[in-house]
Amino acid sequence: MPRPAAPAPTAGTGSAPTATPAPAPFFARRTPGGPPGLALFLNAGDPPLPVLRDLVLMLDEEGVDCLELAVPFPDSVTDGPVIRRSARRALDRGGAGLDDVLAFIADVRPQLAHLRIALLADWSHSLKHRDLAGATREIAAAGADGLLVHALPPRLRETHLESAAEAGLPVVTTCYTKSPPQTQAQAAAQASAYLYLVAHYGRSGTAPAAGHAALAQTVTGLRAHTTSPIAVGFGVSTRQDVEAVGAAGADAAIIGSAAVAAVERAQEAGTDVTGAFRGFVRSVLPAAPHRTA
């Protein structure tokens, strides 16, 4: 599937029409054969949004490629206890609904030079009671670089893809290493932001028994169906894991539970969350820089 087109130009009175530029691609600065890009997952509101703003700016300074920013939702069946505790903390604090998160993105996005933001929104919690096309336009207008809809009913997949294309908003699709070949091919073909390859069937925080480097054959097979980046997540928590993902040929590694746990530890200890998280980021970034100036 080609990258979604930008919204149609709007003619202005007495002036040439202007088009909204398409979001910059994800993991675009990876050098051929170099270490993979890095994406980190966090729940909006954990830490609180004012602290999260400083943390996001720090991620940009450190050269992190992507933040998967979730609108928190309760009792996710695909998440392990660390991420579920984080979502509960964010929800208990309040002020982290979809509208709040979009306002947050609109505020911070213009300050970012490199970091891309992929919004993760759960269908039932955040989108079910909204017009999907309208919500997608709002997400694009806020400045999100991509959208991953969690637990989207299959009957709405085409509507979702069409709405995103009309809004000029790239989509993140997902598949498992054990998904049927047809499912993998479809997910790869429909990815226009990046394809999220889930390394292990289970809850977040669990790792594949054979290690991430063993995913090379799956990554190679997916390449035949997409020109979008392939990112691997689940069980990625250390620099060695990130490098193993790169060895499998993927474009990026996604760290979820380990990133959320770093925030949790800092908050429990009463230390500076942004400073503590900077240390975590530096511990997992590949030793050799993969970003160009």
Side-chain angles (χ1 to χ4, degrees), residues 114-209:
H114 173 64
L115 183 74
R116 305 292 171 227
I117 298 177
L119 182 73
L120 188 156
D122 178 68
W123 163 252
S124 294
H125 186 77
S126 298
L127 297 173
K128 183 177 182 179
H129 304 294
R130 294 177 179 246
D131 172 69
L132 183 56
T136 303
R137 288 192 297 270
E138 292 174 4
I139 292 166
D145 298 284
L147 173 63
L148 195 171
V149 179
H150 178 267
L152 178 74
R155 61 183 172 80
L156 295 176
R157 184 178 295 119
E158 289 302 319
T159 300
H160 165 53
L161 294 172
E162 291 170 2
S163 297
E166 290 172 0
L169 182 63
V171 297
V172 180
T173 61
T174 63
C175 68
Y176 289 88
T177 56
K178 300 299 184 182
S179 296
Q182 183 178 358
T183 300
Q184 290 188 358
Q186 182 183 55
Q190 293 175 341
S192 50
Y194 56 92
L195 172 65
Y196 188 150
L197 174 61
V198 181
H200 174 70
Y201 187 80
R203 290 187 173 180
S204 57
T206 58

Coordinates of all heavy atoms in Angstrom, one line a residue, residues 114-209:
H114 N 13.8 15.7 15.5 CA 14.0 14.4 15.0 C 13.0 13.4 15.4 O 12.5 12.6 14.6 CB 15.4 13.9 15.4 CG 15.7 12.5 15.1 ND1 15.8 12.0 13.8 CD2 15.9 11.4 15.8 CE1 16.0 10.7 13.8 NE2 16.1 10.3 15.0
L115 N 12.5 13.4 16.7 CA 11.6 12.5 17.2 C 10.3 12.5 16.5 O 9.7 13.5 16.3 CB 11.4 12.7 18.7 CG 10.5 11.8 19.5 CD1 11.3 10.4 19.7 CD2 10.1 12.4 20.8
R116 N 9.8 11.3 16.1 CA 8.4 11.2 15.6 C 7.5 10.6 16.7 O 8.0 9.9 17.5 CB 8.4 10.2 14.4 CG 9.4 10.6 13.3 CD 9.0 11.8 12.6 NE 10.1 12.3 11.7 CZ 10.5 13.5 11.6 NH1 10.0 14.5 12.4 NH2 11.5 13.9 10.8
I117 N 6.3 11.0 16.6 CA 5.3 10.5 17.6 C 4.2 9.7 16.9 O 3.5 10.1 16.0 CB 4.6 11.7 18.3 CG1 5.6 12.5 19.1 CG2 3.5 11.1 19.3 CD1 5.0 13.7 19.8
A118 N 4.2 8.4 17.3 CA 3.1 7.5 16.8 C 2.1 7.4 17.9 O 2.4 6.9 19.0 CB 3.7 6.1 16.4
L119 N 0.9 7.8 17.7 CA -0.2 7.7 18.7 C -0.8 6.3 18.7 O -1.2 5.8 17.6 CB -1.3 8.8 18.4 CG -2.4 8.8 19.4 CD1 -1.9 9.4 20.8 CD2 -3.6 9.6 18.9
L120 N -0.9 5.7 19.9 CA -1.6 4.5 20.0 C -2.9 4.7 20.8 O -2.9 5.3 21.9 CB -0.8 3.5 20.8 CG -1.3 2.0 20.9 CD1 -0.2 1.0 21.2 CD2 -2.4 1.9 22.0
A121 N -4.0 4.4 20.1 CA -5.4 4.6 20.7 C -6.1 3.3 20.7 O -6.2 2.7 19.6 CB -6.1 5.7 19.9
D122 N -6.7 3.0 21.8 CA -7.5 1.8 21.9 C -8.9 2.1 21.3 O -9.5 3.1 21.6 CB -7.7 1.3 23.3 CG -8.5 0.1 23.5 OD1 -8.1 -1.0 23.0 OD2 -9.7 0.2 24.0
W123 N -9.4 1.2 20.4 CA -10.7 1.4 19.8 C -11.8 1.6 20.8 O -12.6 2.5 20.7 CB -11.0 0.2 18.8 CG -12.4 0.1 18.4 CD1 -13.4 -0.8 18.8 CD2 -13.1 1.1 17.6 NE1 -14.6 -0.5 18.3 CE2 -14.5 0.7 17.5 CE3 -12.7 2.2 16.9 CZ2 -15.4 1.3 16.7 CZ3 -13.7 2.9 16.1 CH2 -15.0 2.4 16.1
S124 N -12.0 0.6 21.7 CA -13.1 0.7 22.6 C -13.0 1.8 23.6 O -14.1 2.5 23.9 CB -13.2 -0.7 23.4 OG -13.5 -1.7 22.6
H125 N -11.9 2.1 24.1 CA -11.7 3.2 25.1 C -11.7 4.6 24.5 O -12.3 5.5 25.1 CB -10.5 2.9 25.9 CG -10.3 3.9 27.1 ND1 -11.0 3.7 28.3 CD2 -9.5 5.0 27.3 CE1 -10.7 4.7 29.1 NE2 -9.8 5.4 28.5
S126 N -11.1 4.8 23.4 CA -10.9 6.1 22.9 C -11.6 6.5 21.6 O -11.8 7.7 21.4 CB -9.3 6.4 22.7 OG -8.6 6.2 23.8
L127 N -12.0 5.5 20.8 CA -12.5 5.9 19.5 C -13.9 5.4 19.2 O -14.6 5.9 18.3 CB -11.5 5.3 18.4 CG -10.1 5.9 18.4 CD1 -9.3 5.1 17.4 CD2 -10.1 7.3 18.1
K128 N -14.4 4.4 19.9 CA -15.6 3.7 19.6 C -16.8 4.7 19.5 O -17.7 4.6 18.7 CB -15.9 2.6 20.6 CG -17.2 1.8 20.3 CD -17.3 0.7 21.3 CE -18.5 -0.2 21.1 NZ -18.6 -1.3 22.0
H129 N -16.8 5.7 20.4 CA -17.9 6.6 20.5 C -17.7 7.9 19.7 O -18.4 8.9 20.0 CB -18.2 6.9 22.0 CG -18.4 5.7 22.8 ND1 -19.5 4.9 22.6 CD2 -17.7 5.1 23.8 CE1 -19.5 3.8 23.5 NE2 -18.4 3.9 24.2
R130 N -16.7 7.9 18.8 CA -16.4 9.0 18.0 C -16.6 8.7 16.5 O -16.6 7.5 16.2 CB -15.0 9.6 18.2 CG -14.7 10.1 19.6 CD -13.3 10.5 19.7 NE -12.9 11.1 21.0 CZ -12.5 12.4 21.2 NH1 -12.4 13.2 20.1 NH2 -12.3 12.8 22.4
D131 N -16.8 9.7 15.7 CA -16.7 9.4 14.3 C -15.3 9.2 13.9 O -14.4 10.0 14.2 CB -17.2 10.7 13.5 CG -17.0 10.6 12.0 OD1 -17.7 9.7 11.4 OD2 -16.2 11.3 11.5
L132 N -15.0 8.0 13.3 CA -13.7 7.6 13.1 C -12.9 8.5 12.1 O -11.8 8.9 12.4 CB -13.6 6.1 12.5 CG -12.3 5.5 12.3 CD1 -11.4 5.5 13.6 CD2 -12.4 4.1 11.8
A133 N -13.6 8.9 11.1 CA -12.9 9.8 10.1 C -12.6 11.2 10.8 O -11.5 11.7 10.6 CB -13.8 10.0 8.9
G134 N -13.6 11.7 11.6 CA -13.4 12.9 12.2 C -12.2 12.9 13.3 O -11.4 13.8 13.4
A135 N -12.2 11.8 14.0 CA -11.2 11.6 15.0 C -9.8 11.5 14.3 O -8.8 12.0 14.8 CB -11.4 10.4 15.9
T136 N -9.8 10.8 13.2 CA -8.5 10.7 12.5 C -8.0 12.0 12.0 O -6.8 12.3 12.1 CB -8.7 9.7 11.3 OG1 -9.1 8.4 11.8 CG2 -7.3 9.5 10.6
R137 N -8.9 12.8 11.5 CA -8.5 14.2 11.1 C -7.9 15.0 12.3 O -7.0 15.7 12.1 CB -9.7 14.9 10.5 CG -10.0 14.4 9.1 CD -11.0 15.3 8.4 NE -12.3 15.5 9.1 CZ -13.3 14.7 8.9 NH1 -13.3 13.7 8.0 NH2 -14.5 14.9 9.5
E138 N -8.6 14.9 13.4 CA -8.1 15.6 14.6 C -6.7 15.1 15.0 O -5.9 15.9 15.5 CB -9.1 15.4 15.8 CG -10.4 16.1 15.5 CD -11.4 15.7 16.6 OE1 -11.1 15.0 17.6 OE2 -12.6 16.1 16.5
I139 N -6.5 13.8 15.0 CA -5.2 13.2 15.3 C -4.1 13.8 14.4 O -3.0 14.1 14.8 CB -5.2 11.7 15.3 CG1 -6.2 11.2 16.4 CG2 -3.9 11.1 15.4 CD1 -6.6 9.8 16.3
A140 N -4.4 13.8 13.1 CA -3.5 14.3 12.1 C -3.2 15.8 12.3 O -2.1 16.3 12.3 CB -4.0 14.1 10.7
A141 N -4.3 16.6 12.6 CA -4.1 18.0 12.8 C -3.3 18.3 14.0 O -2.7 19.4 14.1 CB -5.5 18.6 12.9
A142 N -3.4 17.5 15.0 CA -2.6 17.7 16.3 C -1.1 17.6 16.0 O -0.3 18.0 16.9 CB -3.1 16.7 17.4
G143 N -0.7 16.9 15.0 CA 0.7 16.7 14.7 C 1.3 15.3 14.9 O 2.5 15.1 14.8
A144 N 0.4 14.4 15.2 CA 0.9 13.0 15.3 C 1.5 12.6 13.9 O 0.9 12.9 12.8 CB -0.2 12.0 15.7
D145 N 2.6 11.8 14.0 CA 3.2 11.4 12.7 C 2.7 10.1 12.2 O 2.9 9.7 11.1 CB 4.7 11.3 13.0 CG 5.4 12.6 13.3 OD1 5.6 13.4 12.4 OD2 5.7 12.8 14.5
G146 N 2.0 9.3 13.1 CA 1.4 8.1 12.7 C 0.4 7.6 13.7 O 0.3 8.2 14.8
L147 N -0.4 6.6 13.4 CA -1.5 6.2 14.2 C -1.5 4.6 14.3 O -1.5 4.0 13.2 CB -2.8 6.7 13.7 CG -4.1 6.2 14.4 CD1 -4.1 6.6 15.9 CD2 -5.4 6.7 13.7
L148 N -1.6 4.1 15.5 CA -1.8 2.7 15.7 C -3.1 2.5 16.5 O -3.2 3.0 17.6 CB -0.6 2.0 16.4 CG -0.5 0.5 16.5 CD1 0.9 0.1 17.1 CD2 -1.6 -0.2 17.2
V149 N -4.1 1.9 15.9 CA -5.4 1.7 16.6 C -5.3 0.3 17.2 O -5.2 -0.7 16.4 CB -6.6 1.8 15.7 CG1 -7.9 1.6 16.4 CG2 -6.6 3.2 15.1
H150 N -5.4 0.2 18.5 CA -5.4 -1.1 19.2 C -6.8 -1.7 19.2 O -7.8 -1.1 19.5 CB -4.9 -0.8 20.7 CG -4.9 -2.0 21.5 ND1 -5.9 -2.4 22.3 CD2 -3.9 -3.0 21.7 CE1 -5.6 -3.5 23.0 NE2 -4.4 -3.9 22.6
A151 N -6.8 -3.0 18.9 CA -8.1 -3.8 18.9 C -9.1 -3.2 18.0 O -10.3 -3.2 18.4 CB -8.6 -3.9 20.4
L152 N -8.8 -2.8 16.9 CA -9.7 -2.3 15.9 C -10.5 -3.5 15.3 O -9.9 -4.5 14.9 CB -9.0 -1.6 14.7 CG -9.9 -1.1 13.6 CD1 -10.6 0.2 14.0 CD2 -9.0 -0.8 12.4
P153 N -11.8 -3.4 15.3 CA -12.6 -4.5 14.8 C -12.3 -4.7 13.3 O -12.2 -3.7 12.5 CB -14.1 -4.1 14.9 CG -14.0 -3.1 16.1 CD -12.7 -2.4 15.9
P154 N -12.1 -6.0 12.8 CA -11.7 -6.2 11.4 C -12.7 -5.6 10.4 O -12.2 -5.1 9.4 CB -11.7 -7.7 11.3 CG -11.4 -8.2 12.7 CD -12.1 -7.2 13.6
R155 N -14.0 -5.5 10.8 CA -14.9 -4.9 9.9 C -14.7 -3.5 9.6 O -15.2 -2.9 8.6 CB -16.3 -5.1 10.4 CG -16.6 -4.4 11.7 CD -18.0 -4.7 12.3 NE -18.1 -4.1 13.6 CZ -18.4 -2.8 13.9 NH1 -18.5 -2.0 12.9 NH2 -18.5 -2.4 15.2
L156 N -13.9 -2.8 10.4 CA -13.6 -1.4 10.3 C -12.2 -1.1 9.7 O -11.8 0.1 9.6 CB -13.8 -0.6 11.6 CG -15.2 -0.6 12.2 CD1 -15.1 0.0 13.6 CD2 -16.1 0.1 11.3
R157 N -11.5 -2.1 9.3 CA -10.1 -1.9 8.9 C -10.1 -1.0 7.6 O -9.3 -0.1 7.6 CB -9.5 -3.3 8.6 CG -8.0 -3.1 8.2 CD -7.3 -4.5 8.0 NE -7.3 -5.2 9.2 CZ -7.9 -6.4 9.4 NH1 -8.6 -6.9 8.4 NH2 -7.8 -7.1 10.5
E158 N -10.9 -1.3 6.6 CA -10.9 -0.5 5.4 C -11.3 0.9 5.7 O -10.7 1.8 5.1 CB -11.8 -1.2 4.3 CG -11.2 -2.5 3.8 CD -9.9 -2.3 3.2 OE1 -9.6 -1.3 2.5 OE2 -9.0 -3.2 3.4
T159 N -12.3 1.1 6.5 CA -12.7 2.5 6.9 C -11.5 3.2 7.5 O -11.3 4.4 7.3 CB -13.9 2.4 7.8 OG1 -15.0 1.8 7.1 CG2 -14.3 3.9 8.2
H160 N -10.8 2.5 8.4 CA -9.7 3.1 9.1 C -8.6 3.5 8.1 O -8.1 4.7 8.2 CB -9.1 2.1 10.1 CG -7.8 2.5 10.7 ND1 -7.4 3.7 11.2 CD2 -6.6 1.7 10.7 CE1 -6.2 3.7 11.6 NE2 -5.7 2.5 11.3
L161 N -8.3 2.6 7.2 CA -7.2 2.9 6.2 C -7.6 4.1 5.3 O -6.8 5.0 5.0 CB -6.9 1.7 5.4 CG -6.3 0.5 6.2 CD1 -6.2 -0.7 5.3 CD2 -4.9 0.9 6.7
E162 N -8.9 4.1 4.9 CA -9.4 5.2 4.0 C -9.4 6.5 4.8 O -8.9 7.5 4.2 CB -10.8 4.9 3.5 CG -10.8 3.7 2.6 CD -12.2 3.2 2.3 OE1 -13.2 3.9 2.8 OE2 -12.4 2.3 1.5
S163 N -9.8 6.5 6.0 CA -9.8 7.8 6.8 C -8.4 8.3 7.0 O -8.2 9.5 6.9 CB -10.5 7.5 8.2 OG -11.8 7.1 8.0
A164 N -7.5 7.4 7.3 CA -6.1 7.8 7.5 C -5.5 8.4 6.2 O -4.8 9.4 6.2 CB -5.3 6.7 8.0
A165 N -5.8 7.7 5.1 CA -5.3 8.2 3.8 C -5.8 9.6 3.5 O -5.1 10.5 3.0 CB -5.6 7.2 2.7
E166 N -7.1 9.8 3.7 CA -7.7 11.1 3.5 C -7.2 12.2 4.3 O -7.0 13.3 3.9 CB -9.2 11.0 3.7 CG -9.9 10.1 2.6 CD -11.4 9.9 2.9 OE1 -11.9 10.4 4.0 OE2 -12.1 9.2 2.1
A167 N -6.8 11.8 5.6 CA -6.2 12.8 6.5 C -4.7 13.0 6.3 O -4.1 13.8 7.0 CB -6.5 12.4 7.9
G168 N -4.1 12.2 5.4 CA -2.6 12.2 5.3 C -1.9 11.7 6.5 O -0.8 12.2 6.8
L169 N -2.5 10.8 7.2 CA -1.9 10.2 8.4 C -1.4 8.8 8.2 O -2.2 7.9 8.0 CB -2.9 10.3 9.6 CG -2.5 9.8 10.9 CD1 -1.3 10.7 11.5 CD2 -3.6 9.8 11.9
P170 N -0.1 8.6 8.2 CA 0.4 7.2 8.1 C -0.1 6.3 9.2 O -0.3 6.8 10.4 CB 1.9 7.4 8.1 CG 2.2 8.8 7.7 CD 1.0 9.6 8.3
V171 N -0.2 5.0 8.9 CA -0.7 4.1 9.9 C 0.3 3.0 10.2 O 1.2 2.7 9.4 CB -2.0 3.3 9.4 CG1 -3.1 4.3 9.2 CG2 -1.7 2.6 8.2
V172 N 0.3 2.6 11.5 CA 1.1 1.5 12.0 C 0.2 0.3 12.0 O -0.9 0.3 12.5 CB 1.6 1.8 13.4 CG1 2.5 0.6 13.9 CG2 2.4 3.1 13.5
T173 N 0.7 -0.8 11.4 CA 0.0 -2.1 11.4 C 0.8 -3.1 12.2 O 2.0 -2.9 12.4 CB -0.3 -2.6 10.0 OG1 1.0 -2.8 9.3 CG2 -1.1 -1.6 9.2
T174 N 0.2 -4.1 12.6 CA 0.9 -5.1 13.4 C 0.6 -6.5 12.9 O -0.4 -6.8 12.3 CB 0.4 -5.1 14.9 OG1 -1.0 -5.4 15.0 CG2 0.6 -3.7 15.5
C175 N 1.6 -7.4 13.2 CA 1.4 -8.8 13.0 C 2.4 -9.6 13.9 O 3.3 -9.0 14.5 CB 1.6 -9.2 11.6 SG 3.3 -9.1 11.0
Y176 N 2.1 -10.8 14.2 CA 2.9 -11.7 15.0 C 3.9 -12.5 14.1 O 3.6 -12.8 12.9 CB 2.1 -12.6 15.8 CG 1.3 -11.9 17.0 CD1 0.0 -11.4 16.7 CD2 1.9 -11.8 18.2 CE1 -0.7 -10.8 17.8 CE2 1.2 -11.2 19.2 CZ -0.1 -10.7 19.0 OH -0.8 -10.0 20.0
T177 N 4.9 -13.0 14.7 CA 5.8 -13.9 14.0 C 5.1 -15.2 13.6 O 5.4 -15.9 12.7 CB 7.0 -14.2 14.8 OG1 6.6 -14.8 16.1 CG2 7.9 -13.0 15.1
K178 N 4.1 -15.6 14.4 CA 3.3 -16.8 14.2 C 2.0 -16.5 13.4 O 1.2 -17.5 13.3 CB 3.0 -17.5 15.5 CG 4.3 -17.9 16.3 CD 5.1 -18.9 15.5 CE 6.3 -19.4 16.4 NZ 7.2 -20.3 15.6
S179 N 1.8 -15.3 13.0 CA 0.6 -15.0 12.2 C 0.6 -15.8 10.9 O 1.7 -16.0 10.3 CB 0.5 -13.6 11.9 OG 0.3 -12.8 13.0
P180 N -0.5 -16.2 10.3 CA -0.5 -16.9 9.0 C 0.1 -16.0 8.0 O 0.1 -14.8 8.0 CB -2.0 -17.1 8.7 CG -2.7 -17.1 10.1 CD -1.9 -16.1 10.9
P181 N 0.8 -16.6 7.0 CA 1.4 -15.8 5.9 C 0.5 -14.8 5.3 O 1.0 -13.6 5.0 CB 1.9 -16.9 4.9 CG 2.0 -18.1 5.7 CD 1.0 -18.1 6.8
Q182 N -0.7 -15.1 5.1 CA -1.6 -14.1 4.4 C -1.8 -12.9 5.4 O -1.9 -11.8 4.9 CB -3.0 -14.8 4.1 CG -4.0 -13.8 3.4 CD -5.3 -14.5 3.1 OE1 -5.4 -15.7 3.3 NE2 -6.2 -13.8 2.5
T183 N -1.9 -13.2 6.7 CA -2.1 -12.1 7.6 C -0.9 -11.2 7.7 O -1.0 -10.0 7.7 CB -2.4 -12.6 9.0 OG1 -3.6 -13.4 9.0 CG2 -2.6 -11.5 10.0
Q184 N 0.3 -11.8 7.7 CA 1.5 -11.0 7.7 C 1.6 -10.2 6.4 O 2.0 -9.0 6.5 CB 2.7 -12.0 7.8 CG 2.9 -12.7 9.1 CD 4.2 -13.5 9.2 OE1 5.0 -13.5 8.2 NE2 4.5 -14.0 10.3
A185 N 1.3 -10.8 5.3 CA 1.4 -10.1 4.0 C 0.5 -8.9 4.0 O 0.8 -7.8 3.5 CB 1.1 -11.0 2.8
Q186 N -0.7 -9.1 4.5 CA -1.7 -8.0 4.5 C -1.3 -6.8 5.4 O -1.3 -5.7 5.0 CB -3.1 -8.5 4.9 CG -4.2 -7.4 4.9 CD -5.5 -7.9 5.5 OE1 -5.6 -8.5 6.6 NE2 -6.5 -7.8 4.7
A187 N -0.8 -7.2 6.6 CA -0.3 -6.2 7.5 C 0.9 -5.4 7.0 O 0.9 -4.2 7.1 CB 0.1 -6.8 8.9
A188 N 1.8 -6.1 6.3 CA 2.9 -5.4 5.7 C 2.5 -4.5 4.6 O 3.0 -3.4 4.5 CB 3.9 -6.5 5.2
A189 N 1.6 -5.0 3.7 CA 1.1 -4.2 2.6 C 0.4 -2.9 3.0 O 0.4 -1.9 2.4 CB 0.3 -5.0 1.7
Q190 N -0.3 -3.0 4.2 CA -1.1 -1.9 4.6 C -0.3 -0.9 5.5 O -0.9 0.2 5.9 CB -2.3 -2.4 5.4 CG -3.3 -3.1 4.5 CD -4.5 -3.8 5.2 OE1 -4.4 -4.0 6.4 NE2 -5.5 -4.1 4.5
A191 N 0.9 -1.2 5.9 CA 1.7 -0.3 6.8 C 2.2 0.9 6.0 O 2.8 0.7 4.9 CB 2.9 -1.1 7.4
S192 N 1.9 2.1 6.5 CA 2.4 3.3 5.8 C 3.3 4.1 6.7 O 4.0 5.0 6.2 CB 1.2 4.1 5.2 OG 0.2 4.3 6.2
A193 N 3.2 3.9 8.0 CA 4.2 4.5 8.9 C 5.3 3.5 9.2 O 6.4 3.7 8.8 CB 3.5 4.8 10.3
Y194 N 4.9 2.3 9.8 CA 5.8 1.2 9.9 C 5.0 0.0 10.3 O 3.9 0.1 10.8 CB 7.0 1.5 10.9 CG 6.5 1.8 12.3 CD1 6.3 0.9 13.3 CD2 6.4 3.2 12.7 CE1 6.0 1.2 14.6 CE2 6.0 3.5 14.0 CZ 5.8 2.6 14.9 OH 5.4 2.9 16.2
L195 N 5.6 -1.2 10.1 CA 5.0 -2.4 10.5 C 5.6 -2.8 11.8 O 6.8 -2.9 12.0 CB 5.3 -3.5 9.4 CG 4.9 -4.9 9.8 CD1 3.4 -5.1 9.9 CD2 5.4 -5.9 8.8
Y196 N 4.7 -3.1 12.8 CA 5.1 -3.5 14.1 C 5.1 -5.0 14.1 O 4.0 -5.6 14.1 CB 4.2 -2.9 15.2 CG 4.6 -3.1 16.6 CD1 4.2 -2.2 17.6 CD2 5.2 -4.3 17.1 CE1 4.6 -2.3 18.9 CE2 5.6 -4.4 18.4 CZ 5.2 -3.5 19.3 OH 5.6 -3.7 20.6
L197 N 6.2 -5.7 14.1 CA 6.3 -7.1 14.2 C 6.4 -7.5 15.7 O 7.4 -7.2 16.3 CB 7.5 -7.6 13.4 CG 7.8 -9.1 13.5 CD1 6.6 -10.0 13.0 CD2 9.1 -9.5 12.7
V198 N 5.4 -8.2 16.2 CA 5.4 -8.6 17.6 C 6.2 -9.9 17.6 O 5.9 -10.9 17.0 CB 4.0 -8.8 18.1 CG1 4.0 -9.3 19.5 CG2 3.2 -7.6 17.9
A199 N 7.3 -9.9 18.4 CA 8.3 -10.9 18.4 C 7.8 -12.2 19.1 O 8.4 -13.3 18.8 CB 9.6 -10.4 19.0
H200 N 6.8 -12.1 19.9 CA 6.5 -13.2 20.7 C 5.0 -13.1 21.0 O 4.5 -12.1 21.4 CB 7.3 -13.2 22.1 CG 6.8 -14.3 23.0 ND1 7.1 -15.6 22.8 CD2 6.2 -14.2 24.2 CE1 6.6 -16.3 23.9 NE2 6.1 -15.5 24.7
Y201 N 4.3 -14.2 20.8 CA 2.8 -14.2 21.1 C 2.6 -14.4 22.6 O 3.0 -15.4 23.3 CB 2.1 -15.4 20.4 CG 0.6 -15.4 20.6 CD1 -0.1 -14.5 19.8 CD2 0.0 -16.1 21.5 CE1 -1.5 -14.5 19.9 CE2 -1.4 -16.1 21.7 CZ -2.1 -15.3 20.9 OH -3.5 -15.2 21.0
G202 N 2.1 -13.3 23.2 CA 2.0 -13.3 24.7 C 1.8 -11.8 25.1 O 1.4 -11.0 24.3
R203 N 2.0 -11.5 26.3 CA 1.9 -10.2 26.8 C 3.2 -9.4 26.7 O 4.3 -10.0 26.7 CB 1.4 -10.2 28.3 CG 0.0 -10.6 28.4 CD -0.6 -10.5 29.8 NE -2.0 -10.8 29.9 CZ -2.7 -10.7 31.0 NH1 -2.1 -10.4 32.1 NH2 -4.0 -11.0 30.9
S204 N 3.1 -8.1 26.6 CA 4.3 -7.3 26.5 C 5.2 -7.5 27.7 O 4.8 -7.8 28.8 CB 3.9 -5.8 26.5 OG 3.2 -5.4 27.7
G205 N 6.5 -7.5 27.4 CA 7.5 -7.8 28.4 C 8.1 -9.2 28.3 O 9.1 -9.5 28.9
T206 N 7.4 -10.0 27.5 CA 8.0 -11.4 27.3 C 8.8 -11.4 26.0 O 8.5 -10.7 25.0 CB 6.8 -12.4 27.2 OG1 5.9 -12.0 26.2 CG2 6.0 -12.4 28.5
A207 N 9.8 -12.3 26.0 CA 10.7 -12.4 24.9 C 10.6 -13.7 24.1 O 10.2 -14.7 24.7 CB 12.1 -12.1 25.4
P208 N 11.0 -13.7 22.8 CA 11.0 -15.0 22.1 C 12.1 -15.9 22.6 O 13.2 -15.5 22.9 CB 11.3 -14.6 20.7 CG 12.0 -13.2 20.8 CD 11.4 -12.6 22.0
A209 N 11.8 -17.2 22.7 CA 12.7 -18.1 23.3 C 14.0 -18.2 22.6 O 15.1 -18.4 23.1 CB 12.1 -19.5 23.4

